[in-house]
Amino acid sequence: FTTKAGLYTASDQIVILTPDNVDSVLVNSTAAMVVEFYASWCGHCIAFSPVWKSLARDIKEWKPAMDLAAIDCANPVNIPICSGFDVKGYPTLKFFHAYSKADSKGQVFKAFPRDVRGLRHKLIDLMETHKDPWPPACPPLETASKVEIDNFFDTNNVEHLALIFEMSNSYVGREVILDMLQYENLAVRRVLNTEEGLVTKLGVTDFPSCYLYYPSGNFTRLIVHNEARVFYSYALQTLPRVVRAGKLPQPPPTYDLMKNTTGDHERPFNRSRVYMADLESTLYYSLRVELAAHTVIKGEALSALQEYFTVLVKYFPGRPVVMNLLKSVATWLKDRKDSELSYSSLKDALDNTAEVPNAALPDSVRWVGCQGSKPHFRGYPCGMWTLFHVLTVQAKEAASKDPQEVIQAMRLYVYYFFGCRECATHFENMAMESMSQVGTWITPVLWLWSRHNQVNNRLAGAPSEDPRFPKIQWPPPELCPSCHGVKPTGEHTWQQEEVLAFLHTHFSSEHLLSDYLE
Ligand code: FAD
C-alpha cells in the first residue's frame, strides 16, 4: 500500500507525481498545486524532505484550495517530466495556479524558507497573487470591511461567522480561514486593527483575537487558551453544527458489523470520558466476531492470541465477572498442548461459563463514547484504540517491568487478526519504524498517543471520518489546556509532560464510567 517513491510515501499527504498522473494532477486542477522537484540522492533534498512532510501535515486541511506534490527527478521514468518543466537543480519548488494549462511550467520559488512556518506564509503570499479563475474551494483571503460584515448574512447561508482581528503583518487570520475551509456552516474572515468601525463596534482591544458574529448583530468573543492559529481552529471545529463537508455517502465495508447490536438509538454520553461499555463491547467484538473469521489459528498467530489474553488478564481493568472469564480462557489457552486451535473450541471456552462460576462477557455490543453519528462510523476501531490506550496506562500503573509488553501484544493482535487489513499494514509500518524506541526514548503511553495522532492526521477528511467526530490532533485544548503550548514564533507545541499526566488520568481505571453496563 505505501507507494514508495523516492523520499515520500502515500501516507505523507503529498501527491506523488508519476508519468501516469502528472497531467491529471497539474492540468486544469481546481486547487493550486505546489510541487517539489527533487532527486532522491541529493543531500539537500533529503534534509528538506522532513520539512516538506511536516508542511503537508500542517496544511492538510487546505487541500481543496492548495495541495502539495513531489516528484523524484532521479527516477529515470520521471526525467522527461522534470526536464519538460525546465528543472535544473534540486530541490526546486513551483507553484501552479488552479486551472493551469497543459503548457504551464509553473512559477518557481526563487529563494524559499526551509521551515514550515516560513513556507506556509510564502504559500499564502502566492495564493494572494492568484489570478482568476480563483480556486473555487478557497474562501476570500483579503481583509473584510464593516460594510461587508454588515451585509454578510444577506449573501452567505452559514450559521457562524468568525472574525479574526489582527495586525496587517499577521498570517493567523488567513491560516484559520484555510484551516476551516472544509467545514460547513462556518465562515471565517480577517479584519485588521485599522478597521475602526468594527473594532469599535465590538470593542476589540487584543490583536489577534477572534469574535463570533451573528445575523442578529450579536457577537461574542471566542474563548481560547492561547490567541493562536491552532487554538482558534480547534475551538471553531467544536461549534454546534459545524461539520466537515464533502463526505462520501458510501461507508467503508469493513465497519458494517460494528454498529450497536442492542438497538440503534443514541445514548447520551460525555465526550471527555472513557466508558467501560466501549471496552467490553470491544472485547465482545474482538473475541466473538473478529476472531471467528479465523477457523484455525496456529503458529505465530496462536502465540499472538496467547499474548493478547495475557495482557488482558494482567491489565484489563474489568468487572470481576469479565475478568473471571478472561482468566479462565487464558489459562485454558496456555494449558492446551495442541499446536492448532480451532475457533469453535475457543468459542466453546468463551461460552463455557457453567464450569466457571460468575464469569461472562456481555452478549452484544453497546457503544457509548464510541457511538458514531451513523452505524458505519466509529464503534469497533474506536474501541480498539481505547482498549489499547487503557492497557498501556494500566501497565504503567501496575509498574510493568517491560515497557514493550502491551504494545507488542497489541501489535501482534492487530497484525494477525484486526479485520481492517489496510489498517493493520499501516500500523505495522509505524511499529517497524519507531517501536524500538519505546522504553528508551519514549514511554509506551506517549508512543501510542503520538502514533494515534499520526493516524488521525492521515485520516482527517477520509471517508471513514465521522463528520461529528473530526480527526483532530488529540487531546483538544478544551480537554487538556495545559497540554498545548505556543512557541515564541506562534507555532503550536505539545507539552509532553502534561500530555502524559493527562493520559494517565484520562485512561485510568478510576476515571472509567460504568454507565450503560448490563
Ligand atoms: P479514533 O481514532 O478511533 O479514536 C478513538 C478515541 O480515542 C477518540 O474518540 C478520542 O477520544 C481518543 N483519541 C483520539 N486520538 C487519540 C490519541 N492520539 N491518543 C489517545 N487517545 C486518542 N482507519 C483507516 O481508515 N485507515 C487506517 O489505516 C486505520 N488504521 C488503524 C489502525 C489501528 C491500530 C486502529 C485501532 C484503527 C485504525 N483505523 C484506520 C481506524 C481509525 O483510526 C479510527 O479508529 C476510526 O476511523 C474511528 O475513529 P474515531 O473518530 O472513533 O476515533
Side-chain angles (χ1 to χ4, degrees):
F1 180 82
T2 48
T3 324
K4 275 264 178 219
L7 301 175
Y8 303 101
T9 72
S11 335
D12 287 326
Q13 301 273 7
I14 292 169
V15 182
I16 296 168
L17 295 181
T18 64
D20 293 337
N21 69 6
V22 65
D23 285 343
S24 61
V25 172
L26 295 185
V27 180
N28 219 16
S29 157
T30 50
M33 298 295 305
V34 189
V35 182
E36 184 205 0
F37 295 83
Y38 71 93
S40 40
W41 48 260
C42 134
H44 288 293
C45 304
I46 294 167
F48 182 64
S49 63
V51 179
W52 200 237
K53 287 182 197 177
S54 299
L55 179 69
R57 277 198 298 279
D58 187 81
I59 63 166
K60 63 178 189 303
E61 297 294 336
W62 305 7
K63 277 176 187 292
M66 185 193 314
D67 206 355
L68 300 189
I71 180 160
D72 182 5
C73 299
N75 186 335
V77 298
N78 293 334
I79 290 171
I81 302 174
C82 299
S83 58
F85 283 110
D86 292 340
V87 173
K88 310 247 164 10
Y90 313 112
T92 290
L93 298 187
K94 286 191 171 209
F95 185 79
F96 292 82
H97 286 191
Y99 302 105
S100 282
K101 302 252 171 353
D103 60 356
S104 167
K105 300 224 186 287
Q107 185 180 338
V108 182
F109 290 38
K110 293 226 168 53
F112 57 89
R114 301 296 167 122
D115 66 294
V116 169
R117 179 170 173 262
L119 280 165
R120 197 172 62 228
H121 294 177
K122 173 94 185 161
L123 295 189
I124 289 176
D125 293 344
L126 281 165
M127 222 34 200
E128 289 194 306
T129 64
H130 198 290
K131 297 188 207 78
D132 280 341
W134 182 253
C138 189
L141 298 174
E142 67 261 19
T143 57
S145 64
K146 181 163 185 305
V147 182
E148 192 202 326
I149 299 306
D150 283 346
N151 300 316
F152 185 83
F153 291 102
D154 298 344
T155 45
N156 289 280
N157 184 21
V158 292
E159 198 174 327
H160 305 276
L161 169 62
L163 300 179
I164 298 193
F165 287 84
E166 61 182 344
M167 308 290 208
S168 62
N169 62 355
S170 160
Y171 283 85
V172 172
R174 287 164 287 180
E175 289 167 348
V176 176
I177 291 171
L178 290 163
D179 284 345
M180 299 307 299
L181 70 85
Q182 298 194 47
Y183 285 80
E184 256 171 14
N185 227 352
L186 166 78
V188 186
R189 294 286 182 273
R190 80 184 279 246
V191 183
L192 293 189
N193 58 323
T194 48
E195 184 60 44
E196 278 180 20
L198 277 171
V199 169
T200 312
K201 181 174 175 185
L202 276 68
V204 181
T205 49
D206 298 328
F207 304 95
S209 59
C210 179
Y211 286 74
L212 298 172
Y213 193 88
Y214 293 100
S216 56
N218 287 348
F219 52 86
T220 155
R221 182 159 178 179
L222 187 73
I223 306 299
V224 285
H225 184 56
N226 273 298
E227 302 293 339
R229 170 197 175 196
V230 172
F231 298 87
Y232 293 141
S233 300
Y234 265 121
L236 294 174
Q237 282 166 6
T238 61
L239 292 175
R241 289 166 297 284
V242 168
V243 291
R244 200 193 293 271
K247 295 275 136 195
L248 298 182
Q250 287 304 314
T254 331
Y255 300 124
D256 276 351
L257 278 165
M258 298 168 189
K259 62 183 176 223
N260 285 309
T261 50
T262 52
D264 284 335
H265 48 273
E266 217 173 288
R267 304 189 173 91
F269 71 99
N270 179 345
R271 282 194 188 215
S272 61
R273 298 296 293 272
V274 179
Y275 287 82
M276 179 53 88
D278 289 318
L279 297 175
E280 288 191 359
S281 298
T282 304
L283 285 186
Y284 172 92
Y285 188 88
S286 151
L287 303 179
R288 293 226 176 254
V289 183
E290 192 156 67
L291 288 174
H294 300 258
T295 344
V296 177
I297 302 170
K298 57 185 178 186
E300 290 176 357
L302 183 54
S303 313
L305 184 66
Q306 282 164 336
E307 286 303 304
Y308 180 52
F309 268 95
T310 303
V311 296
L312 286 176
V313 165
K314 279 172 93 168
Y315 304 121
F316 187 72
R319 297 187 279 170
V321 56
V322 173
M323 295 316 292
N324 288 344
L325 182 96
L326 291 175
K327 279 181 202 153
S328 80
V329 178
T331 311
W332 170 80
L333 260 182
K334 215 183 255 156
D335 293 347
R336 286 176 71 258
K337 297 280 176 283
D338 299 348
S339 60
E340 288 191 1
L341 170 76
S342 67
Y343 180 74
S344 61
S345 60
L346 177 62
K347 183 173 179 306
D348 289 344
L350 291 167
D351 291 340
N352 184 19
T353 47
E355 279 178 30
V356 191
N358 202 15
L361 267 186
D363 58 6
S364 60
V365 297
R366 190 180 291 256
W367 303 116
V368 180
C370 283
Q371 277 170 106
S373 65
K374 296 258 164 58
H376 58 268
F377 287 134
R378 311 191 73 227
Y380 181 56
C382 167
M384 189 42 100
W385 276 121
T386 311
L387 173 65
F388 211 161
H389 290 294
V390 165
L391 293 176
T392 52
V393 166
Q394 296 308 306
K396 172 74 186 160
E397 276 181 16
S400 162
K401 296 253 173 350
D402 175 4
Q404 301 238 344
E405 185 183 15
V406 170
I407 52 172
Q408 284 295 1
M410 295 306 285
R411 171 190 186 171
L412 290 175
Y413 179 85
V414 169
Y415 183 82
Y416 284 107
F417 303 113
F418 197 49
C420 169
R421 296 315 298 155
E422 208 175 89
C423 307
T425 309
H426 277 130
F427 192 76
E428 182 56 24
N429 287 343
M430 277 196 319
M432 284 196 296
E433 221 170 80
S434 61
M435 206 184 260
S436 59
Q437 296 167 1
V438 173
T440 49
W441 296 106
I442 189 163
T443 66
V445 174
L446 274 183
W447 181 84
L448 189 63
W449 161 76
S450 70
R451 297 313 110 163
H452 190 172
N453 268 344
Q454 201 172 311
V455 174
N456 293 343
N457 181 69
R458 179 162 48 78
L459 297 180
S464 59
E465 180 188 62
D466 187 330
R468 277 184 43 200
F469 296 86
K471 296 274 189 290
I472 53 167
Q473 293 299 285
W474 192 94
E478 82 247 25
L479 266 192
C480 178
S482 59
C483 292
H484 299 262
V486 182
K487 295 183 195 162
T489 55
E491 296 299 280
H492 175 266
T493 175
W494 288 107
Q495 307 292 347
Q496 298 223 349
E497 302 253 301
E498 298 288 337
V499 173
L500 189 58
F502 170 80
L503 294 169
H504 276 290
T505 308
H506 185 77
F507 292 111
S508 71
S509 49
E510 300 84 57
H511 204 62
L512 290 174
L513 292 181
S514 51
D515 310 38
Y516 304 107
L517 291 177
E518 280 181 330

